[in-house]
Amino acid sequence: MLSKNIQDALNSQIKIEAESSQIYLAMACWAEVKGLEGVANFMYAQSDEEREHMLKLVKFVNERGGHAQISELKAPNVTFKSFKEMFKKLFEHEVFVSQSINELVHISLQEKDYATHNFLQWYVAEQIEEEAVARNILDKINMIGDDKGGLYLFDRDIENLTVTTAATNAPE
Ligand code: OFO
């Protein structure tokens, strides 16, 4: 059974994961209308992943005698100055999510809720992975700068990055 404290904290995380999915969906749309199909596909996949993260939390809360809250979401940014800015925002958002997961882990220990603590370890590992991918992308984008040819190649290659990431995640 979940304590009220834990349930509230998990419900806040459900909202964060849902908002992450919307943020990445908006990024996918922006990339798609800008003609970068590879980036758009990558962001659509990220958006789907975030929805999965949300659902995993929803099921956990309901299975443990709580009631998952599906709430109103903050509207995401829909335009960006550049791809560099978009990926910077993606990286910053992942860092924010990692902090939020860390806080949840902290609360679970305070409450001596070891089942929730154990459940959250998957998210801890996932955030390490996602932060690394976002940092990697940002490094590449910083190298490319304003070079259109570089961006073209990056758009082609980012799809391989999705495949590598998916393969790394496969055992989960
Ligand atoms: Fe939900 O994994 Fe990143 O944000």
Side-chain angles (χ1 to χ4, degrees):
M1 189 73 188
L2 298 171
S3 72
K4 163 107 176 60
N5 233 356
I6 293 274
Q7 188 176 182
D8 289 350
L10 289 170
N11 275 328
S12 305
Q13 192 62 33
I14 287 173
K15 185 167 190 262
I16 288 175
E17 300 293 342
E19 284 177 344
S20 302
S21 182
Q22 293 294 88
I23 289 169
Y24 297 163
L25 187 58
M27 288 179 175
C29 288
W30 187 75
E32 194 161 48
V33 298
K34 291 279 169 197
L36 289 199
E37 209 182 315
V39 172
N41 287 341
F42 176 81
M43 293 314 306
Y44 279 125
Q46 293 299 308
S47 174
D48 283 349
E49 270 195 32
E50 297 301 341
R51 181 174 159 79
E52 288 299 318
H53 299 171
M54 178 201 68
L55 282 174
K56 214 174 155 81
L57 279 156
V58 163
K59 299 250 163 77
F60 181 76
V61 170
N62 290 340
E63 274 164 14
R64 298 216 51 231
H67 187 176
Q69 293 306 303
I70 307 304
S71 45
E72 191 179 7
L73 306 178
K74 203 162 85 189
N77 252 1
V78 292
T79 56
F80 305 90
K81 282 202 285 284
S82 61
F83 281 97
K84 189 173 159 179
E85 190 204 40
M86 192 194 92
F87 282 117
K88 189 163 173 278
K89 288 224 154 36
L90 167 75
F91 175 67
E92 287 168 356
H93 186 72
E94 287 302 333
V95 171
F96 159 75
V97 174
S98 297
Q99 284 163 352
S100 170
I101 295 290
N102 282 348
E103 187 52 31
L104 254 178
V105 171
H106 177 70
I107 297 170
S108 71
L109 284 177
Q110 271 180 334
E111 299 270 325
K112 296 197 170 74
D113 184 341
Y114 299 114
T116 298
H117 182 266
N118 186 48
F119 167 77
L120 289 172
Q121 296 315 302
W122 184 87
Y123 287 84
V124 172
E126 181 70 13
Q127 281 311 121
I128 293 173
E129 168 83 23
E130 294 203 335
E131 264 192 49
V133 171
R135 191 177 296 114
N136 190 358
I137 290 175
L138 201 54
D139 286 348
K140 287 198 170 62
I141 283 281
N142 281 333
M143 271 193 289
I144 294 165
D146 292 328
D147 179 42
K148 289 246 166 18
L151 197 57
Y152 173 82
L153 292 177
F154 172 78
D155 185 56
R156 191 195 59 188
D157 291 347
I158 195 170
E159 299 217 57
N160 298 330
L161 215 143
T162 321
V163 174
T164 321
T165 314
T168 322
N169 283 338
E172 286 298 337

